[in-house]
Amino acid sequence: MADMTVAYSPSHGLGEEQSIWFKLTPLLNQENPMQVLMALSDKYGGIIPINLKTQRIMLLSEPAHAERVLVSNADNYVKYFDGLRPIFGKSMITVDGALWQKIRAPQQPAFHPHMFEDYFPYLMSAIESKMARWAKFASTGETIEMVEETWTLAAEMVCKALFDREMPFNPHFVFGQVKTYTDVMNHKSLRLKNVRGQLEEITQDEAAKAMEIWGSIPDTVIGAGVLEHREKTLLRMLEEAEADPSFPEFDRQQVVDEMKQYLWAGTETTALTLAWSLYLLSQHPEALERIRAEARAVCGERDPQWQQVQQLSYTRMVIQETMRLFPPIWALIRIAAGDDEIEGHKIKAGDKVVILTYIAHHSPKYWDDPEKFDPERFAPERAKKRVKYSYLPFAAGKRACIGGALSQIENTLALVQLLRRFTPDYVGPVPAKIHATVTLCPKGGLPFRIRALS
Ligand code: HEM
């Protein structure tokens, strides 16, 4: 069993030889990395063992494996961070055991569903800024990069709703810096450059500079004008935890690191989901029209009101289906604290396990016609028949995403509002290809042109 007092999880640095991402790059650096992983999983009966000289990595792909690692024997599987420490600092996403519980407790109330109504006007206001920007794009006809667009939107939502601040930084620039770290292909090239003795210093300097910029963002946010002096915001909760004398672990750095965590984990994932859903809708205009029809039926010609959000059920199903086909977090990584056995496979203490959620999401064992875009799979009657743990966009168990429900409200509102005013036309190659970084990104981006509806 894992030591429940375990604090900061083991980690390796960017590009270090021990890094899982580094080990996986030959598999991921392929034309279609997910097809390669799915074929391997088939070949090895769902568990792909990667035996290396100094470590063993087990790639797991079945719902039963996820249940064992994330739920029934979760204490045995400790978070493992790989090159991501500078992104997340010592925030709760990186921590385990009693310390994790203690750090999560004061933040949890910000994600209680009864808070979402408070956030609603700020989410809508962020969408309005996006609509103003898209009106300009519609008039110039220029090609835009959708992930950049949706990432800006998600970041503005987090700043306004959770921190009570305007977004006081240039998200395109700042998130470009983050990508230096989370693009695992950079890990490999960094390493290769080290091996060849080339460009080592330049690359490492760049990475260090990128992380210095990233580390300064929480203070920039805190220093920006307070929007409305709301009493209950996530930022207030973090600062109250810092001020609590009985909680010395929650120091100033903890506040800064929690903010870094939200500004990345709470933005890129939501943004990728929205961008991939716009891509899918551009390929399935009938689904796009259904969203518009639903919006008209529920809201008439007015903007959605808070009480109407739950009624936008088809729009929500589109988002759920998008996260099935393109799960933003496609791999969950843990390290075994003690020995275990999963479906006859011995797991040894120190083994790293990677749950490949993408594979169960695309398996014909769990989904009819799995490559088909079919939002109706998430209609309540059909969803009831789903095999448990075959759909894990937000992971499962006690370490499941804290912001999953919020992200779905953000994206439901964004889809409804943006599609009522605009038709975003995808202008890249079809099908769009995957670039497997820590998140599931589109290879070369998702270029779009925006048309305004008359
Ligand atoms: C579509 C959107 C999102 C997806 C797909 C997603 C996915 C995930 C996943 C899979 C995990 C677990 C990672 C692991 O176990 O290794 C996670 C954790 C987390 N997510 Fe999300 N997330 C989304 C949106 C958000 C939002 C909107 C927020 C907050 C504003 C957020 C904050 C967090 C935090 C703080 C954790 C760590 C929780 C803990 O360790 O206790 N996420 N997310």
Side-chain angles (χ1 to χ4, degrees):
M1 283 291 274
D3 173 1
M4 287 302 288
T5 61
V6 130
Y8 300 111
S9 309
S11 65
H12 285 105
L14 181 76
E16 272 181 32
E17 200 154 352
Q18 289 300 309
S19 152
I20 290 190
W21 292 114
F22 175 62
K23 300 290 184 203
L24 294 184
T25 42
L27 286 177
L28 301 180
N29 200 10
Q30 309 267 345
E31 188 61 10
N32 194 335
M34 295 300 133
Q35 295 301 329
V36 173
L37 288 173
M38 281 167 59
L40 280 172
S41 169
D42 265 359
K43 183 169 164 195
Y44 288 97
I47 298 192
I48 312 166
I50 303 184
N51 292 302
L52 304 162
K53 242 189 262 160
T54 53
Q55 63 173 316
R56 197 161 69 133
I57 305 173
M58 303 291 268
L59 304 183
L60 312 179
S61 54
E62 287 291 319
H65 308 159
E67 190 277 336
R68 179 84 187 158
V69 172
L70 301 176
V71 184
S72 59
N73 202 17
D75 287 345
N76 190 50
Y77 293 95
V78 179
K79 283 267 184 155
Y80 170 77
F81 276 82
D82 217 54
L84 295 182
R85 186 68 76 194
I87 303 262
F88 284 128
K90 57 175 180 164
S91 60
M92 71 167 157
I93 201 166
T94 68
V95 181
D96 272 290
L99 180 62
W100 162 74
Q101 238 167 354
K102 217 174 153 193
I103 292 175
R104 182 153 162 158
Q107 312 183 40
Q108 191 70 52
F111 295 92
H112 192 283
H114 71 231
M115 290 294 293
F116 298 163
E117 186 171 359
D118 284 8
Y119 302 154
F120 176 75
Y122 306 100
L123 306 182
M124 293 292 281
S125 140
I127 297 167
E128 262 160 44
S129 337
K130 183 70 16 184
M131 297 207 301
R133 204 171 137 88
W134 280 23
K136 189 183 111 253
F137 294 145
S139 67
T140 60
E142 65 200 274
T143 301
I144 59 167
E145 171 42 47
M146 190 52 82
V147 181
E148 284 186 4
E149 285 300 306
T150 55
W151 203 341
T152 321
L153 173 59
E156 195 173 337
M157 284 174 164
V158 166
C159 287
K160 285 184 161 158
L162 299 179
F163 298 152
D164 201 14
R165 299 289 194 282
E166 291 292 352
M167 181 173 58
F169 57 90
N170 175 343
H172 301 293
F173 171 67
V174 169
F175 294 129
Q177 307 292 314
V178 174
K179 271 306 197 201
T180 309
Y181 252 84
T182 58
D183 185 338
V184 292
M185 295 309 156
N186 283 346
H187 293 212
K188 185 182 184 198
S189 61
L190 172 62
R191 180 68 198 161
L192 290 179
K193 282 168 193 164
N194 284 346
V195 170
R196 293 199 304 264
Q198 287 175 10
L199 296 178
E200 176 184 358
E201 302 229 321
I202 294 169
T203 314
Q204 285 183 342
D205 273 359
E206 278 174 354
K209 217 183 290 158
M211 286 304 98
E212 203 182 304
I213 292 165
W214 175 240
S216 71
I217 296 302
D219 280 337
T220 307
V221 172
I222 293 170
V226 184
L227 266 181
E228 300 215 351
H229 298 274
R230 279 180 286 146
E231 282 185 7
K232 272 168 67 188
T233 63
L234 175 62
L235 182 51
R236 284 275 185 114
M237 291 171 197
L238 297 174
E239 290 181 329
E240 279 161 20
E242 183 198 356
D244 180 351
S246 69
F247 198 174
E249 299 94 330
F250 214 114
D251 55 11
R252 190 66 195 157
Q253 192 58 45
Q254 196 72 44
V255 176
V256 167
D257 288 348
E258 296 302 320
M259 289 179 75
K260 275 162 55 180
Q261 160 196 254
Y262 287 111
L263 286 166
W264 184 55
T267 61
E268 192 188 7
T269 46
T270 307
L272 283 168
T273 303
L274 184 57
W276 281 118
S277 70
L278 291 169
Y279 161 72
L280 287 165
L281 290 168
S282 75
Q283 306 305 300
H284 298 275
E286 69 296 344
L288 187 149
E289 287 309 328
R290 252 188 96 174
I291 290 181
R292 286 180 177 148
E294 177 171 84
R296 274 195 304 276
V298 173
C299 318
E301 295 310 313
R302 295 178 60 209
D303 286 343
Q305 306 297 300
W306 167 246
Q307 294 73 11
Q308 294 167 329
V309 177
Q310 288 308 319
Q311 295 169 49
L312 298 165
S313 52
Y314 182 76
T315 310
R316 192 187 192 84
M317 290 193 278
V318 166
I319 291 158
Q320 291 168 321
E321 175 69 338
T322 303
M323 292 188 293
R324 183 185 70 80
L325 286 166
F326 298 106
I329 303 293
W330 58 279
L332 303 164
I333 304 182
R334 301 288 189 271
I335 184 162
D339 294 349
D340 192 17
E341 189 171 316
I342 299 184
E343 296 212 317
H345 290 261
K346 298 254 180 275
I347 306 284
K348 293 204 197 70
D351 282 355
K352 286 163 192 152
V353 301
V354 182
I355 299 171
L356 301 172
T357 54
Y358 183 99
I359 295 186
H361 285 200
H362 287 254
S363 169
K365 280 196 270 182
Y366 308 115
W367 308 91
D368 296 333
D369 203 355
E371 295 310 320
K372 185 177 165 198
F373 173 69
D374 177 12
E376 292 286 341
R377 298 176 198 278
F378 290 91
E381 279 313 302
R382 280 175 71 187
K384 258 192 233 157
K385 295 183 193 139
R386 191 163 68 224
V387 172
K388 232 174 157 192
Y389 306 111
S390 60
Y391 180 64
L392 293 172
F394 301 119
K398 60 185 180 179
R399 300 306 298 264
C401 178
I402 202 171
L406 176 61
S407 81
Q408 290 181 80
I409 292 171
E410 293 176 334
N411 279 341
T412 300
L413 292 172
L415 271 188
V416 161
Q417 288 297 77
L418 293 170
L419 296 178
R420 274 157 40 124
R421 285 269 307 277
F422 303 101
T423 301
D425 295 316
Y426 173 69
V427 293
V430 178
K433 295 217 174 88
I434 282 171
H435 182 51
T437 75
V438 172
T439 48
L440 198 78
C441 296
K443 197 176 234 161
L446 291 174
F448 275 77
R449 284 201 202 102
I450 304 296
R451 264 184 299 141
L453 295 181
S454 47

